[in-house]
Amino acid sequence: MTARSTAREEILARMRQALDGAGAAPGSPRAYRRLLDAGTDITAMLIDRLVDYKANVHHGLAAIGAALGGAQRVVVPADLPADWRIGGAEFVPDTGLSTADLDGMDAVLTGCAAAVAVSGTIMLDTGAAQGRRAITLVPDHHVVVVRREQIVGHLAEALPMLDPTAPQTWISGPSATSDIELQRVEGVHGPRRLDVVLLDD
Amino acid sequence: MSAEPSFVPAASLIPADAPFPKAAKVALGMPQLRKNLAHATGTIRAKRAAVAGELDDWEALRDAAAAIKADVQHRLPELAVEFERNATAAGAHVHWARDAKEANEIAARLVREAGADDVVKVKSMATQEIELNEHFEAVGLKAYETDLAELIVQLAEDKPSHILVPAIHYNRTQIREIFDQKMGDAPAGLTDEPAALAEAARLHLRRRFLSAKVAVSGANFAVAETGSLVVVESEGNGRMCLTMPETLISIVGIEKLLPRFTDLEVFMQLLPRSSTGERMNPYTSVWTGSRGGDGPKDVHVILLDNGRTNVLADEVGRQALSCIRCSACLNVCPVYERTGGHAYGHVYPGPIGAILAPQLEPGRHDDLPYASSLCGACYEVCPVKINIPEVLVHLRQQGPHQAGEQAAMRAATAVMARPRLWRAALRGARLGSMPWRRKGFMRRLPWPGSRWTVSRDLPVPPKEDFRDWWKERGR
Amino acid sequence: MPRVALFITCVNDALFPAAPKAVVQILERLGYDVDFPEAQTCCGQMHANSGYKQDAATLASAFETVFGDYDAIVTPSGSCAAMARDQYPHLIGSDIGDHVYELSEFLIDVAGVEDVGARFPHTVTYHPTCHGTRALGLGDKPMRLLRAVEDIELVDLPAADQCCGFGGTFALKNSEVSSAMLADKCRNAAATGAEYLAAADNSCLTHIGGGISRLQHTAGAAERRGPRPIHYAEILASTA
Ligand code: SF4
C-alpha cells in the first residue's frame, strides 16, 4: 500500500471506530428564515447595506461612465454587453491578459450572478458578463452592474442562483480589515473602490 | 541608530509551557496588553451583539447549525469520502494526513514539485496547529503570511494570541513600530492611522502576490456534495492567494465538512456576524477543483486528522468539532479578556481552546479545562451552540486530580453524605471561628485558604444558624 | 395549603442564615406551608464542577432521597437549582431538577406574583449571577420582583453581565485571574453609589462582598467603599 492510501484507510478506520455505537445522525431542524418579510423593499435595503459598507451606488446604464470615475483603461469580460461600455475609457476585453496587464488597468467593469439585500453582498460565479476571478481582483477599482431581477432579499434565495461548482466570489463592500483593534477600515489587497450600478430591468 | 522597540513580542514574555495559572499571572502583570485586549474585545462584543440582534431567527440558525454539525460528525467517514470523490472529479488532488508531521511533509513535497521555495499563505488555524511555517523553515522553504494580523505577528517574531485576529494584543502604535522596524519597505513617515497601516501592508505584499507560484490555505468549509472549499476573509489577501498562483495547497481539518452547498445559507449568516460583527465579510471565495483558465492549475487538498478522531470518540467532547473558529467565545470570555491568548499555551486559546486543546493532545493541557469560571458567556454567543461549560466540566471529570485536593473532596463528600456528620461539622466550624466572630471576617488563611484571602475577606459563620432558628420556631 | 420544601444550600447552612429565613418569611406571607427537611446537605455542585463525578453523584442521590417526595423545592440559589436541573439527569438519571425552583422562578412562574408586599427604602444595585442568568435562564425575574418593592431605588450596575470571578474552585486554582475579575466587579459596584448589592446567590455575594471588604481595608477608608452584599430574598422579605 502507498503511504497515501494507508493514511486514508487509517483515518477512515479511526473515524468509524470513534463513531462505534454513536447511533443515527440527529435530524436537522431548519426553522430559520429563507425569505424576508413580504413587502420588504429589497432594493432600498441593498442600497442601504452597500453604502453602509462603503460601496458607491449609482442608478441606470448611463451612470456607468460616472461610476468608472477617471479610469482610463478598463478591463472587461469578453462577453460584457456592448451597451455597458459607456464613457471615455478604453475598454480592454480580457482575452487572457497577463497579470502585469491586469495590474496596469485602472478599473474593471463586470456584471454579477446575484445580489443579496440583507447583507449587501454581490455574488460572482464567473458566469455571463463576469469573467475570470483575476480580472475583478487585480485592478484597484471594481464597477459592477446589478440588474433588478438579480436582487434577492435573503442569502438562501441567492445560493440556488449560483453555479455551485464554478469559482465564486462573494463581495460585500470594498476590501477591508478589522485586524487593527477590531475596527473595520477599508482598503487592503482587493479593489479598494467598489461602485455598484443598479439597472431597472 | 534605530530606536529601541517599545513593543516586545508578548509570546517571549509569557511562558508557553507553564501551567495556565502561572502564565496567566505574567499576562495579568502586563498593563498595555490588558488595555489592548479590553479595548478590542469590548469593541467586537458590541458589534457582534448588534448584528446578531438584527436577525429575528438567530436562535433558529444556531439550532440548525448545531444540528448540521452533529450530523456531519455522525457521518464523517461517508462525507469525507464523498468530498474526496467530488473534488477529485473536479480536478483536485486529495491527500490524507494522520498528523502534523505527515501534513507538513506532503505540503513541503508539493511546494518543491511546483518548483518553488516559498509560498504565500492565507491565514489558517490548521496550518498554525501543525506549525507548517516552522516546518518549512526547517526544510529550507519560506512561508509568507499575508493576512494583516498574521503579517504583524510574523514580522514581530511573536505568536498569534487570538484565532481571528492573531495580533489582537497589539494596538495601532505598536503595529506602526513593528512595520517601521521590521518590514524593510515601510513608507517613510508611516503614521498609526489604521488606513495607513493597511496601505503599507498592501504595498509590502503586492509584488509577492502577483508573482507567487504556490499558495497555502486552509478552508472554513468543505462541501461534500460538490467537493468545493470555502475561504472567508476580509482583505483580499485570500483572493490573491487562491487566484493568482499556479499551485494551491489547502490544508483542511476533517471536521470542516458540510453535507451540502446550501448549508452555507446557515453558516454564512452566523460566521461573519459572530466573528467580525459584520453582516457579511468583504470576501468569500468558493472553488471546486481546478478550472482551466481561471485560478490555480494544480489544486491540492490535504485532509487532516491530527487528533480530531480522538475528539470524535468522546460523546460529550465531540461537539468541540462543530467549531467554526469565529472567536466569539474568546471575545466574551472574562478570562481571555484578562490574560490574552498566549497564556493558554496552545494555538487555540480561550474557551474553545480550553476544550479543544486537551482533546487534540490528550494528557497535555490538563490545566486548561480549569481556566474558566464556568460563567457560560461563551455558550451564550457560540453560533453553533457548543455547550462549552458542559464540556469543561466533562473534561475536568476525566482528567487526573491532585492528590491533596482529591483527599479533601473525598472527605467533604463523606461528611456531606451523612446529615449528622454535616451538622457536626457546621457546629465545629462555628466553634473554630469564634475568635473571629467579633471582627466578622477572616483576612489571612493558611494555604489553600490563602488563595482566597489573597484578595478577599471571608465571612465568619454566624452565632445562630438557620437550623437553630428553625428549631426555635417550634416546628 | 400548598406545601413546599426549602433547600437552603450548604453555603447558607454554614454562613448565611438570613437568606433562607427570608425565603421562609416570603413563602409563608404568600400562604405556603414550608418544610425544611433536616437531612439536607449539599447539591454536589462543587464536586461536579471540580471534576469529582462520583462524589457529585453520591450527593445528588442523597439530595434525591431527601427531596424526592416534594412537588416543589425552593432554593435561594440559581447555581444550585441549575446543578439539579442541568447535571442530575446525566449524573444520576434523575429529573428531580424539574421540581427545583430558584426563588424568583417559584414566585413568578408557580405562585404567579411579582409584588410580594415588601418595602425596602434603600438604593440597591443588582448583579445577575452567571448560573442564574445563563444556565437557569432566570432572565429579569429577580428584577421584576425587586421593581415591585415599595420605596426601593434600583440603580444599574455597569457591565452587570460580567462574571464576578468566583466560579467555585476557580477562585482558588486561578486566584489571580479571579481576583482581576473581582476587582472590576467591585469597582463597578462601588461606582453605582448604591447602599446594597443584591444577587440571587450567596456564593457570588461572598466573593464580591469579600472583595469590597478587602478593598476598604486596603484603602484604609473610614466610610464604606462599596455596597453591602445582600441576598435579594432578604429585600423581598423586608417590610421595614
Ligand atoms: S467555540 Fe463557538 S464561539 Fe468559540 S470559536 Fe468556535 S464556533 Fe466560535
Side-chain angles (χ1 to χ4, degrees):
Chain A
M1 253 206 254
T2 64
R4 173 171 161 195
S5 67
T6 316
R8 180 184 190 275
E9 296 323 313
E10 195 175 320
I11 293 170
L12 287 171
R14 284 183 197 167
M15 289 180 186
R16 290 195 190 97
Q17 195 188 345
L19 290 167
D20 191 27
S28 298
R30 289 177 184 261
Y32 55 86
R33 270 177 186 277
R34 287 155 186 287
L35 290 169
L36 299 183
D37 288 340
T40 306
D41 182 344
I42 56 173
T43 306
M45 184 184 256
L46 176 68
I47 294 169
D48 174 72
R49 305 287 148 101
L50 284 168
V51 169
D52 192 23
Y53 283 166
K54 307 288 193 296
N56 308 307
V57 179
H58 312 261
H59 299 270
L61 209 52
I64 289 178
L68 284 167
Q72 314 244 308
R73 306 194 72 215
V74 177
V75 59
V76 298
D79 64 345
L80 191 87
D83 60 342
W84 289 8
R85 301 176 194 201
I86 292 171
E90 178 196 349
F91 293 95
V92 183
D94 173 35
T95 48
L97 295 175
S98 70
T99 302
D101 290 340
L102 288 177
D103 202 23
M105 297 291 161
D106 299 316
V108 55
L109 171 65
T110 70
C112 69
V116 184
V118 76
S119 56
T121 304
I122 310 283
M123 299 177 135
L124 308 179
D125 66 359
T126 69
Q130 297 161 50
R132 63 189 168 115
R133 285 175 290 172
I135 68 165
T136 52
L137 172 62
V138 178
D140 201 18
H141 180 192
H142 186 183
V143 178
V144 60
V145 177
V146 179
R147 284 180 283 115
R148 182 63 53 111
E149 74 268 16
Q150 292 177 313
I151 305 175
V152 294
H154 200 273
L155 179 62
E157 298 170 84
L159 294 185
M161 297 164 70
L162 303 175
D163 175 352
T165 61
Q168 295 166 29
T169 310
W170 306 2
I171 297 173
S172 308
S175 161
T177 181
S178 301
D179 279 358
I180 302 166
E181 300 176 9
L182 276 163
Q183 272 168 4
R184 179 174 164 130
V185 290
E186 279 68 29
V188 201
H189 307 293
R192 288 180 290 183
R193 181 166 163 197
L194 177 67
D195 283 77
V196 179
V197 180
L198 300 177
L199 297 191
D200 265 337
D201 39 56
Chain B
M1 204 177 79
S2 75
E4 198 53 31
S6 72
F7 74 90
V8 180
S12 70
L13 301 174
I14 300 167
D17 292 331
F20 181 80
K22 235 182 163 162
K25 195 175 173 180
V26 177
L28 285 165
M30 298 165 65
Q32 187 63 54
L33 176 88
R34 288 188 58 187
K35 231 173 111 188
N36 295 350
L37 286 166
H39 173 67
T41 55
T43 306
I44 193 65
R45 274 181 207 172
K47 280 169 70 178
R48 189 212 71 87
V51 292
E54 277 182 4
L55 299 187
D56 57 8
D57 59 343
W58 188 252
E59 289 308 313
L61 283 167
R62 293 177 75 211
D63 286 332
I68 293 168
K69 284 289 193 175
D71 176 47
V72 166
Q73 284 146 31
H74 277 77
R75 299 196 287 131
L76 205 49
E78 161 198 340
L79 292 172
V81 170
E82 186 185 348
F83 173 84
E84 180 190 42
R85 186 173 60 242
N86 291 323
T88 307
H93 305 275
V94 178
H95 312 258
W96 301 70
R98 282 164 283 204
D99 52 26
K101 185 169 171 282
E102 195 163 29
N104 285 328
E105 285 169 1
I106 296 170
R109 176 170 55 77
L110 294 172
V111 175
R112 292 214 192 286
E113 283 172 10
D117 52 18
D118 59 18
V119 304
V120 285
K121 261 188 81 193
V122 192
K123 176 179 157 28
S124 125
M125 288 311 299
T127 57
Q128 267 177 39
E129 177 191 322
I130 63 174
E131 301 188 324
L132 177 113
N133 294 7
E134 289 81 351
H135 177 83
F136 274 19
E137 193 90 51
V139 299
L141 300 173
K142 174 80 187 166
Y144 292 98
E145 295 290 354
T146 65
D147 166 81
L148 179 52
E150 290 283 9
L151 174 68
I152 295 164
V153 168
Q154 193 174 40
L155 290 174
E157 295 170 54
D158 200 352
K159 283 189 174 164
S161 68
H162 188 271
I163 60 180
L164 179 75
V165 188
I168 194 172
H169 54 292
Y170 289 125
N171 65 19
R172 56 186 74 186
T173 311
Q174 293 166 310
I175 294 168
R176 192 202 72 81
E177 279 172 26
I178 292 165
F179 279 11
D180 214 28
Q181 291 164 28
K182 305 282 189 142
M183 199 177 238
D185 56 356
L190 181 63
T191 70
D192 64 3
E193 272 306 305
L197 297 169
E199 166 83 18
R202 177 183 173 97
L203 294 172
H204 178 66
L205 288 170
R206 182 95 183 155
R207 178 135 314 125
R208 208 177 287 293
F209 280 136
L210 299 186
S211 61
K213 277 186 163 159
V214 183
V216 173
S217 84
N220 294 88
F221 307 102
V223 181
E225 145 188 271
T226 54
S228 314
L229 295 181
V230 182
V231 159
V232 175
E233 53 131 357
S234 296
E235 297 165 12
N237 63 308
R239 292 177 69 190
M240 285 286 181
C241 292
L242 302 172
T243 311
M244 305 311 291
E246 289 188 348
T247 302
L248 172 60
I249 304 165
S250 303
I251 301 177
V252 183
I254 49 177
E255 82 284 14
K256 297 284 175 193
L257 285 159
L258 289 180
R260 283 172 300 183
F261 178 67
T262 50
D263 291 328
L264 292 174
E265 73 192 21
V266 175
F267 293 95
M268 286 309 296
Q269 292 191 71
L270 291 168
L271 178 55
R273 288 178 197 257
S274 299
S275 57
T276 46
E278 294 166 306
R279 295 186 193 101
M280 193 65 94
N281 49 291
Y283 300 132
T284 297
S285 294
V286 183
W287 74 100
T288 309
S290 70
R291 180 162 287 222
D294 190 340
K297 284 202 287 286
D298 269 326
V299 172
H300 297 269
V301 184
I302 303 176
L303 292 175
L304 177 71
D305 181 351
N306 203 34
R308 283 160 178 75
T309 45
N310 282 331
V311 188
L312 186 65
D314 186 318
E315 241 177 278
V316 179
R318 75 165 65 108
Q319 53 185 310
L321 294 178
S322 300
C323 175
I324 54 174
R325 312 278 188 263
C326 73
S327 80
C329 61
L330 280 66
N331 298 333
V332 298
C333 177
V335 177
Y336 178 87
E337 177 190 337
R338 287 169 180 82
T339 66
H342 296 127
Y344 291 78
H346 193 271
V347 287
Y348 301 111
I352 181 60
I355 62 170
L356 199 51
Q359 296 196 85
L360 287 174
E361 297 177 275
R364 297 188 58 202
H365 314 292
D366 287 335
D367 51 334
L368 290 187
Y370 295 92
S372 164
S373 66
L374 303 180
C375 80
C378 46
Y379 181 30
E380 196 172 54
V381 298
C382 176
V384 290
K385 263 189 142 166
I386 300 172
N387 190 335
I388 295 175
E390 177 188 36
V391 182
L392 287 168
V393 168
H394 170 74
L395 293 175
R396 291 177 185 187
Q397 292 173 354
Q398 316 300 303
H401 296 301
Q402 193 251 333
E405 181 194 274
Q406 178 148 338
M409 284 288 175
R410 288 281 132 83
T413 311
V415 170
M416 287 173 150
R418 294 173 187 77
R420 278 190 37 224
L421 284 183
W422 169 242
R423 288 199 292 272
L426 291 177
R427 269 197 304 278
R430 275 155 69 197
L431 285 173
S433 59
M434 285 273 273
W436 290 273
R437 174 79 29 78
R438 266 202 40 225
K439 215 164 148 198
F441 54 81
M442 294 179 270
R443 185 150 284 157
R444 231 161 213 248
L445 289 173
W447 195 89
S450 58
R451 308 280 299 150
W452 176 275
T453 52
V454 64
S455 64
R456 322 144 180 102
D457 293 340
L458 188 68
V460 174
K463 210 156 110 199
E464 184 195 67
D465 70 7
F466 179 82
R467 290 170 190 268
D468 299 331
W469 178 79
W470 184 260
K471 220 170 276 151
E472 267 163 38
R473 302 171 87 227
R475 306 240 168 176
Chain C
M1 194 171 278
R3 277 163 68 83
V4 297
L6 171 65
F7 172 52
I8 65 174
T9 80
C10 62
V11 169
N12 289 323
D13 210 350
L15 293 171
F16 304 108
K21 273 190 220 173
V23 177
V24 173
Q25 286 157 358
I26 298 162
L27 292 176
E28 289 184 347
R29 204 154 72 207
L30 296 173
Y32 287 92
D33 203 354
V34 181
D35 242 11
F36 173 67
E38 295 197 18
Q40 64 180 271
T41 63
C42 166
C43 67
Q45 184 188 185
M46 177 186 70
H47 298 78
N49 289 352
S50 305
Y52 296 86
K53 194 176 179 177
Q54 258 323 308
D55 301 73
T58 304
L59 295 175
S61 301
F63 182 97
E64 206 192 18
T65 310
V66 173
F67 288 102
D69 290 338
Y70 293 96
D71 286 333
I73 304 141
V74 178
T75 184
S77 163
S79 66
C80 299
M83 168 69 189
R85 213 171 297 164
D86 292 350
Q87 297 206 42
Y88 282 13
H90 56 86
L91 210 49
I92 56 167
S94 162
D95 61 2
I96 190 173
D98 296 346
H99 302 276
V100 178
Y101 299 91
E102 189 280 331
L103 176 66
S104 69
E105 292 179 306
F106 185 80
L107 292 176
I108 290 182
D109 300 342
V110 182
V113 289
E114 286 194 17
D115 185 347
V116 296
R119 178 170 181 272
F120 194 73
H122 299 281
T123 51
V124 174
T125 191
Y126 182 77
H127 166 62
T129 57
C130 302
H131 285 185
T133 309
R134 300 203 182 93
L136 211 53
L138 288 184
D140 66 345
K141 284 174 193 165
M143 272 307 260
R144 274 152 68 189
L145 295 162
L146 287 174
R147 275 189 217 113
V149 171
E150 201 182 323
D151 293 336
I152 196 170
E153 194 194 322
L154 289 164
V155 248
D156 283 341
L157 176 65
D161 62 345
Q162 292 277 301
C163 177
C164 74
F166 173 57
T169 46
F170 174 75
L172 305 179
K173 284 186 202 268
N174 279 285
S175 177
E176 285 82 10
V177 185
S178 165
S179 298
M181 291 159 70
L182 176 62
D184 290 341
K185 182 60 72 181
C186 291
R187 186 169 345 99
N188 285 325
T192 63
E195 294 166 78
Y196 291 94
L197 173 94
D201 245 303
N202 265 333
S203 45
C204 311
L205 284 170
T206 311
H207 192 236
I208 305 173
I212 292 175
S213 156
R214 175 62 58 86
L215 280 182
Q216 186 164 349
H217 169 73
T218 319
E223 82 282 19
R224 274 197 76 81
R225 280 293 177 99
R228 281 172 206 285
I230 187 171
H231 195 287
Y232 82 106
E234 296 170 52
I235 297 177
L236 299 182
S238 164
T239 49

